[in-house]
Amino acid sequence: MGPHAKRRKVSKVEEITFDHTARQQFLTGFRKRKQQRIKHAQEIAEQKAREIKREERRRIREERTAEFQRAMEEHKKQLKRLNDENTDSETSGSGSEDEGDEWEGFEEPPAVDYEAEYIDEDKYTTVTVEEMDPTREGLLKSQAEEDSEEEVQTSKSEADLQSKQAAEKTKKKASDTKPKKKKKKFRYESKEERKLARAKERMSRARKAQARRER
């Protein structure tokens, strides 16, 4: 007998188990995973926006501080220059003062008296501008002129009103003189009259129908 064949050692395969719940979650979780990705992207974008705003605020603060420093330096230079000028003026001309010309007041403006005409198609207007007298007599005179103008306007308006009233009265009289239309009196029909009218209507309809048939 020949030698026995050596048997190869075969390692046992571990048991493979299938998780049905995980499979179900994978198959039904596409929308959920998509929403998670969108939310994650939004969070990253918000974080970047916050960082950009922070950098912008820092840059603005630095620019403002630099501008403030420049303004302070310029202000100090101006103060120093003014102090130097004041000291020079006090030392050089402390006792000499210039005498100015005597002020004689404001010059009187020229008189404002003129007339202007404005023509626009059918309208014609004349505007008169006169100088006003500031004294008491001048004010009283202007007030009297205004009162007279108001009286003229009121008299014109009263005359117009009277003419309108007269025209309305004449119109009313003319309407009253027109002959009035006579109203037709309503008369109730008796039963016999109604029967006679119905019979006439039936006869006329019958004649018309017969004429149509003969055609």
Side-chain angles (χ1 to χ4, degrees), residues 12 25 32 42 51 84-85 105:
K12 292 183 179 180
Q25 288 179 0
K32 185 178 179 181
Q42 288 177 354
E51 290 177 357
D84 294 340
E85 289 179 357

Side-chain angles (χ1 to χ4, degrees), residues 4-64:
H4 294 285
K6 292 182 179 179
R7 293 182 179 179
R8 189 173 58 182
K9 292 182 180 180
V10 180
S11 60
K12 292 183 179 180
V13 179
E14 295 180 357
E15 185 179 0
I16 298 172
T17 57
F18 190 77
D19 193 355
H20 292 280
T21 57
R23 178 176 178 274
Q24 187 69 18
Q25 288 179 0
F26 176 76
L27 293 175
T28 59
F30 288 104
R31 186 175 182 279
K32 185 178 179 181
R33 289 191 294 274
K34 184 178 180 181
Q35 294 296 327
Q36 288 177 355
R37 289 195 298 271
I38 292 169
K39 187 176 180 181
H40 183 64
Q42 288 177 354
E43 289 176 355
I44 292 171
E46 289 176 358
Q47 187 176 359
K48 287 182 179 179
R50 284 196 294 270
E51 290 177 357
I52 291 168
K53 286 182 181 179
R54 197 179 297 113
E55 291 292 330
E56 187 69 20
R57 287 197 294 269
R58 184 177 60 79
R59 184 180 62 79
I60 291 169
R61 283 198 299 271
E62 290 177 355
E63 289 179 356
R64 286 179 179 175

Side-chain angles (χ1 to χ4, degrees), residues 8-195:
R8 189 173 58 182
K9 292 182 180 180
V10 180
S11 60
K12 292 183 179 180
V13 179
E14 295 180 357
E15 185 179 0
I16 298 172
T17 57
F18 190 77
D19 193 355
H20 292 280
T21 57
R23 178 176 178 274
Q24 187 69 18
Q25 288 179 0
F26 176 76
L27 293 175
T28 59
F30 288 104
R31 186 175 182 279
K32 185 178 179 181
R33 289 191 294 274
K34 184 178 180 181
Q35 294 296 327
Q36 288 177 355
R37 289 195 298 271
I38 292 169
K39 187 176 180 181
H40 183 64
Q42 288 177 354
E43 289 176 355
I44 292 171
E46 289 176 358
Q47 187 176 359
K48 287 182 179 179
R50 284 196 294 270
E51 290 177 357
I52 291 168
K53 286 182 181 179
R54 197 179 297 113
E55 291 292 330
E56 187 69 20
R57 287 197 294 269
R58 184 177 60 79
R59 184 180 62 79
I60 291 169
R61 283 198 299 271
E62 290 177 355
E63 289 179 356
R64 286 179 179 175
T65 51
E67 187 176 357
F68 180 72
Q69 291 294 333
R70 287 196 298 270
M72 287 295 294
E73 290 175 359
E74 187 68 23
H75 183 64
K76 288 178 181 178
K77 289 179 182 179
Q78 292 289 337
L79 286 175
K80 187 177 180 181
R81 185 172 60 80
L82 289 172
N83 290 328
D84 294 340
E85 289 179 357
N86 290 330
T87 53
D88 293 339
S89 62
E90 286 176 359
T91 54
S92 61
S94 60
S96 62
E97 293 180 0
D98 296 334
E99 294 181 357
D101 297 333
E102 187 177 355
W103 185 60
E104 296 179 355
F106 295 106
E107 295 182 359
E108 292 185 359
V112 186
D113 292 331
Y114 68 91
E115 289 186 358
E117 295 181 355
Y118 300 95
I119 300 171
D120 184 11
E121 293 181 357
D122 298 335
K123 297 179 181 179
Y124 177 79
T125 306
T126 303
V127 179
T128 304
V129 181
E130 295 180 355
E131 187 177 3
M132 188 181 71
D133 190 2
T135 59
R136 184 177 179 183
E137 290 79 5
L139 294 173
L140 292 172
K141 184 179 179 182
S142 63
Q143 185 66 29
E145 290 177 355
E146 289 178 359
D147 294 338
S148 63
E149 289 178 358
E150 289 179 357
E151 289 177 358
V152 170
Q153 289 179 357
T154 52
S155 63
K156 285 182 179 179
S157 61
E158 288 177 357
D160 294 337
L161 183 62
Q162 289 177 0
S163 62
K164 286 181 181 179
Q165 289 177 355
E168 288 178 356
K169 286 180 180 179
T170 53
K171 189 176 180 181
K172 189 175 181 181
K173 287 180 181 179
S175 62
D176 293 337
T177 54
K178 288 182 180 179
K180 294 182 180 180
K181 294 181 180 180
K182 293 182 180 180
K183 293 182 179 180
K184 293 182 179 180
K185 293 182 179 180
F186 183 76
R187 187 175 61 84
Y188 288 99
E189 293 179 351
S190 62
K191 290 183 179 180
E192 294 178 355
E193 290 176 349
R194 281 200 296 273
K195 286 181 182 179

